[in-house]
């Protein structure tokens, strides 16, 4: 972006402008499946306050959200539901895989738990931790914003 | 007044002496193993007897021992609120005959625990009103808590959505 002092107008690329508005209003779809969801609530609450980054509007409808936070253990039975909700979200959409279970199956090395949600949906950012601290989730959100600003998918 | 534990053992031995296989007490928990032919009668008796009055079947658990003399065990966790007393009733099952009478008509609350044991071990509860899988998908073909089932499951047995 370039700001012209004298004449008071702004030049930019359309993509950059769109990405700037997208990254600063990432409305999350809280796919809270297990204990990571508690940390996700804390991340949304007043103490860690995700509204500083424009993501305070948790929409419980996939139709109105941009970012799906998969917070918890995804079983094979639940995978179909997660995929369905992902499919219902309008483009552009991003996925955050929050915690060890969603990213790799975590401690549930078992026949019933999907060993990482990237086996059935594309993931943009992974958050380590079991469960991750809210600061860690905030950090992931900021990294995701950088990624959106770089126009990566 | 007699101890409820002694009373229970005495009454069972008096009425069903031939079908009681063993009476063991370990660390304060009484375990009585009985033959499965008399299971229904024994449960009806335990539920209905005014002194014993085992009015709760807290849980039903399956165990896979994979021993040469028997394969599975079904454990009934019975509790009497009136006497504040709990004991375990065990049934041993051979691999060749996985049928066991259902006790849903005695304790209606065991409907789902029996479905759970069926889901994980494939033990068939005769007379159960609705014996379907409860946790695993309906079209799943295996019994995952059996010893021969691999830890990570059988690849492709539960399909994932396309990516």
């Amino acid at each position: 972006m370039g700001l012209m002092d004298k004449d008071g107008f702004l030049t930019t690329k359309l993509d950059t402008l769109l990405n700037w508005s997208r990254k600063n209003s990432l409305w999350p779809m809280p796919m809270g499946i297990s204990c990571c969801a508690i940390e996700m609530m804390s991340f949304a609450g007043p103490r860690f306050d995700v509204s500083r980054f424009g993501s305070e509007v948790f929409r419980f409808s996939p139709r109105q959200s941009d970012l799906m936070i998969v917070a918890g253990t995804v079983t094979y039975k639940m995978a179909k539901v997660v995929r369905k909700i992902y499919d219902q979200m309008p483009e552009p959409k991003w996925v955050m895989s929050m915690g060890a279970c969603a990213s790799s199956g975590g401690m549930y090395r078992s026949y019933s738990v999907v060993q990482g949600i990237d086996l059935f949906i594309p993931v943009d950012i992974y958050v380590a931790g079991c469960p991750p601290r809210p600061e860690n989730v905030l950090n992931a959100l900021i990294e995701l914003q950088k990624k959106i600003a770089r126009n990566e998918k | 007044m007699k101890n409820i534990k002694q009373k229970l053992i005495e009454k069972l031995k008096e009425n069903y002496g031939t079908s009681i296989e063993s009476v063991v007490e370990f660390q304060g928990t009484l375990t009585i193993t009985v033959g499965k032919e008399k299971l229904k009668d024994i449960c009806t008796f335990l539920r209905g007897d005014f002194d014993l009055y085992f009015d709760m079947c807290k849980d039903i658990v399956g165990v896979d021992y994979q021993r040469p003399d028997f394969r599975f065990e079904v454990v009934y966790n019975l509790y009497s609120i009136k006497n504040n007393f709990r004991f375990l009733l065990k049934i041993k099952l051979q691999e060749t005959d996985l049928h066991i009478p259902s006790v849903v008509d005695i304790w209606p609350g065991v409907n789902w625990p029996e479905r759970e044991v069926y889901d994980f071990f494939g033990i068939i509860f005769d007379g159960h009103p609705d014996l379907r899988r409860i946790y695993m998908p309906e079209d799943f073909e295996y019994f995952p808590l059996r010893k021969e089932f691999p830890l990570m499951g059988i690849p492709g047995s539960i399909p994932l959505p396309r990516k």
Side-chain angles (χ1 to χ4, degrees):
Chain A
M1 285 185 221
L3 191 64
M4 307 297 274
D5 285 328
K6 283 180 191 165
D7 303 324
F9 64 89
L10 191 80
T11 56
T12 177
K13 282 185 283 181
L14 186 60
D15 268 1
T16 314
L17 182 68
L18 279 178
N19 285 336
W20 172 80
S21 61
R22 278 170 186 162
K23 86 179 172 76
N24 287 309
S25 63
L26 275 175
W27 288 8
M29 160 76 219
M31 193 74 219
I33 308 172
S34 48
C35 33
C36 278
I38 305 295
E39 299 297 304
M40 186 177 62
M41 288 174 219
S42 153
F43 146 88
R47 183 168 179 131
F48 294 95
D49 198 15
V50 75
S51 60
R52 292 177 291 165
F53 307 99
S55 293
E56 76 277 23
V57 195
F58 273 66
R59 287 289 142 164
F60 291 88
S61 154
R63 307 271 184 214
Q64 300 166 359
S65 25
D66 310 298
L67 167 67
M68 182 157 83
I69 304 180
V70 182
T73 319
V74 184
T75 57
Y76 278 93
K77 248 182 149 178
M78 196 67 192
K80 297 177 184 75
V81 181
V82 176
R83 178 73 212 194
K84 194 168 204 168
I85 288 175
Y86 177 76
D87 286 340
Q88 285 172 344
M89 285 166 60
E91 289 280 357
K93 53 191 172 186
W94 294 273
V95 177
M96 182 194 290
S97 162
M98 178 179 173
C101 290
S103 306
S104 70
M107 63 177 181
Y108 299 102
R109 187 160 173 76
S110 125
Y111 61 90
S112 57
V113 174
V114 183
Q115 305 293 303
I117 59 166
D118 47 6
L119 291 175
F120 63 93
I121 48 175
V123 179
D124 292 285
I125 193 147
Y126 299 87
V127 190
C130 183
R133 293 279 304 152
E135 296 95 322
N136 204 353
V137 189
L138 282 176
N139 182 42
L141 188 79
I142 294 165
E143 291 299 322
L144 183 65
Q145 287 182 341
K146 288 180 192 162
K147 191 174 172 179
I148 296 167
R150 290 197 304 267
N151 205 10
E152 280 175 30
K153 176 68 190 170
Chain B
M1 185 173 157
K2 258 189 205 165
N3 188 338
I4 172 73
K5 193 191 296 168
Q6 292 162 346
K7 222 190 268 178
L8 168 71
I9 297 169
E10 258 173 43
K11 281 203 173 189
L12 277 183
K13 282 199 169 152
E14 189 187 316
N15 291 296
Y16 303 99
T18 49
S19 46
I20 290 173
E21 288 169 13
S22 72
V23 178
V24 183
E25 189 172 356
F26 180 66
Q27 294 194 340
T29 304
L30 180 70
T31 304
I32 299 177
T33 311
V34 299
K36 78 169 177 181
E37 289 73 26
K38 284 281 177 188
L39 172 71
K40 200 73 184 268
D41 294 348
I42 291 173
C43 287
T44 315
F45 170 74
L46 290 170
R47 174 73 180 85
D49 188 89
F50 188 73
D51 283 336
L52 304 176
Y53 209 68
F54 283 92
D55 47 357
M56 271 182 106
C57 183
K58 288 250 183 184
D59 201 2
I60 299 183
V61 185
V63 191
D64 184 354
Y65 280 102
Q66 235 180 11
R67 283 191 193 147
D69 51 334
F70 70 98
R71 172 85 194 259
F72 295 104
E73 208 171 64
V74 181
V75 186
Y76 295 78
N77 186 338
L78 301 183
Y79 182 67
S80 164
I81 298 177
K82 182 177 144 188
N83 299 308
N84 185 19
F85 181 74
R86 177 197 314 275
F87 82 103
L88 303 177
L89 189 71
K90 285 189 178 179
I91 313 287
K92 283 176 181 160
L93 285 179
Q94 303 295 332
E95 196 174 356
T96 47
D97 183 17
L98 293 175
H99 289 262
I100 185 171
S102 165
V103 291
V104 172
D105 46 353
I106 303 168
W107 296 286
V110 300
N111 187 320
W112 284 13
E114 284 190 351
R115 279 178 64 187
E116 183 182 347
V117 173
Y118 164 70
D119 192 355
F120 286 145
F121 294 96
I123 292 164
I124 295 154
F125 291 85
D126 293 324
H128 190 285
D130 184 25
L131 196 65
R132 284 181 293 132
R133 286 188 175 273
I134 185 165
Y135 291 121
M136 302 305 291
E138 295 248 321
D139 54 353
F140 192 63
E141 291 167 10
Y142 309 93
F143 298 110
L145 291 196
R146 286 189 179 181
K147 290 286 181 202
E148 78 260 15
F149 189 81
L151 174 68
M152 292 308 291
I154 289 154
S157 57
I158 318 175
L160 273 178
R162 70 190 159 67
K163 189 166 179 176

